[in-house]
Amino acid sequence: MSGAASLFVAVASVELHFPGARSLKDKRQDLRSLLERMRHRFTVLVVESDFQDLHQRAGIAICAFATDAEAARGTVSRALDHVHETFAGMVLDSQVSVEQVR
């Protein structure tokens, strides 16, 4: 692919704690709401990526693509800020990485 633009992917891995969840159904309702808000507000792919079988923890991955590394990182960072600002539980951990994919 001669002359093809570079493509970057930024990924945030986030670990969440749902202290009020008494069942998987409780957790999934709260998590679904958070993920849908992020999908509509930001140009990101967001999925539950870990701890699916635990009712008070969830791992999510937030992903954005761009032709500029900082643009990809910025989109993911804004979505991550939204999690920190609006999530009713606790954010236990978060990490952001950026990779060039072509």
Side-chain angles (χ1 to χ4, degrees), residues 23-74:
S23 67
L24 285 174
K25 184 178 178 180
D26 288 347
K27 176 187 91 167
R28 288 189 179 124
Q29 278 184 311
D30 292 344
L31 184 59
R32 186 179 312 113
S33 174
L34 175 65
L35 299 185
E36 286 176 6
R37 282 195 316 269
M38 281 194 291
R39 287 181 186 124
H40 293 323
R41 184 173 288 209
F42 306 98
T43 308
V44 294
L45 169 67
V46 57
V47 296
E48 183 177 6
S49 59
D50 208 356
F51 308 114
Q52 289 92 338
D53 58 340
L54 299 178
H55 70 273
Q56 289 194 331
R57 285 178 72 186
I60 63 172
I62 306 166
C63 177
F65 292 91
T67 56
D68 174 80
E70 286 309 308
R73 181 184 298 277

Side-chain angles (χ1 to χ4, degrees), residues 7-19:
L7 183 63
F8 295 88
V9 60
V11 178
S13 299
V14 187
E15 188 174 335
L16 304 172
H17 177 63
F18 296 78

